Amino acid sequence: MAQLDLEQLGPLQNLVGPFEGGVGDDIAPSDDRGTENNKYREIIVFTHILPTANHEQTLYGLRYHQQVFRHGEEFPFHDQVGYWHWDPKAKLVMQSLTIPRGQAVLAGGPAAQDAKSLKLKAQLGSPTFGIASNPFLDKEFKTVEYEIQITFLDGETFSYEQMTKIQIKGHPKIFEHRDKNTLKRLRD
């Protein structure tokens, strides 16, 4: 079997493995369409995958699974799967994600091989870095923009800040759903 070279992952190489963070902060729409603040812990497992060839384009990447738990709760309130990819020729990082609420996002942004911070965006209607939602979400909680910024604090720790802009039916202002956390690599 081919040997996987972590350096091929460019700025994503420090993400390989399991990570946990317990200081998460979530500002989200509440059931009454107001605002709620959830403190959470999460586990994300990043697995190195074989390179993916699209004719002359080669992507190097990670498959991931993220589960998020409110403090004191046994079951996750958020579950997400997807991929992170590095395109060294284009100097581009991409994240594709899917959540079981019936939504998928492909976000991207420029990055250097040795970047210590990554910023990716997706917008509703974009033919390249876009957002797709099920009919209910599109009508009631239309996601119009997604942005994530990851900062590598060292080889074992990273933090992220994520903002999802949502047009809630009946509300004139865009709601900025925000999440942030710091995660540390889990060791045996």
Side-chain angles (χ1 to χ4, degrees):
M1 181 169 187
Q3 180 69 17
L4 298 175
D5 180 1
L6 292 183
E7 287 192 22
Q8 292 176 322
L9 293 170
L12 303 177
Q13 63 187 294
N14 287 329
L15 290 178
V16 176
F19 288 81
E20 184 171 27
V23 294
D25 189 46
D26 169 58
I27 306 295
S30 64
D31 288 342
D32 64 2
R33 304 211 180 187
T35 301
E36 66 183 37
N37 182 232
N38 297 293
K39 303 302 181 189
Y40 64 89
R41 69 178 179 84
E42 69 186 295
I43 297 171
I44 306 176
V45 178
F46 297 94
T47 306
H48 191 181
I49 62 172
L50 292 172
T52 303
N54 293 320
H55 296 276
E56 61 274 1
Q57 180 190 47
T58 301
L59 301 176
Y60 301 92
L62 303 166
R63 177 186 314 113
Y64 77 97
H65 182 205
Q66 174 187 28
Q67 290 189 303
V68 182
F69 305 80
R70 286 182 183 94
H71 286 180
E73 292 188 6
E74 180 182 358
F75 299 105
F77 75 97
H78 182 81
D79 190 277
Q80 181 174 307
V81 296
Y83 293 91
W84 282 83
H85 284 293
W86 164 241
D87 181 342
K89 272 189 175 177
K91 294 188 178 1
L92 182 68
V93 171
M94 295 173 276
Q95 178 194 25
S96 60
L97 67 93
T98 311
I99 59 173
R101 290 184 174 97
Q103 191 169 58
V105 175
L106 177 62
Q113 168 85 22
D114 59 351
K116 300 299 180 209
S117 181
L118 307 170
K119 189 172 189 176
L120 290 72
K121 288 186 177 185
Q123 289 191 312
L124 183 65
S126 172
T128 54
F129 296 126
I131 300 161
S133 300
N134 81 54
F136 171 80
L137 287 179
D138 189 61
K139 180 180 166 194
E140 300 290 329
F141 299 92
K142 184 186 297 281
T143 299
V144 296
E145 189 175 311
Y146 167 84
E147 180 178 304
I148 187 167
Q149 180 159 349
I150 289 183
T151 303
F152 299 105
L153 304 174
D154 56 41
E156 300 294 311
T157 310
F158 74 92
S159 65
Y160 72 85
E161 292 190 27
Q162 179 179 299
M163 181 177 55
T164 306
K165 292 183 179 179
I166 303 169
Q167 179 62 66
I168 299 173
K169 183 179 178 181
H171 290 258
K173 290 179 64 178
I174 297 288
F175 186 92
E176 293 185 353
H177 178 178
R178 296 179 176 271
D179 294 296
K180 63 181 178 179
N181 205 351
T182 299
L183 294 96
K184 186 160 184 66
R185 186 184 318 276
L186 293 173
R187 295 289 181 184
D188 294 335

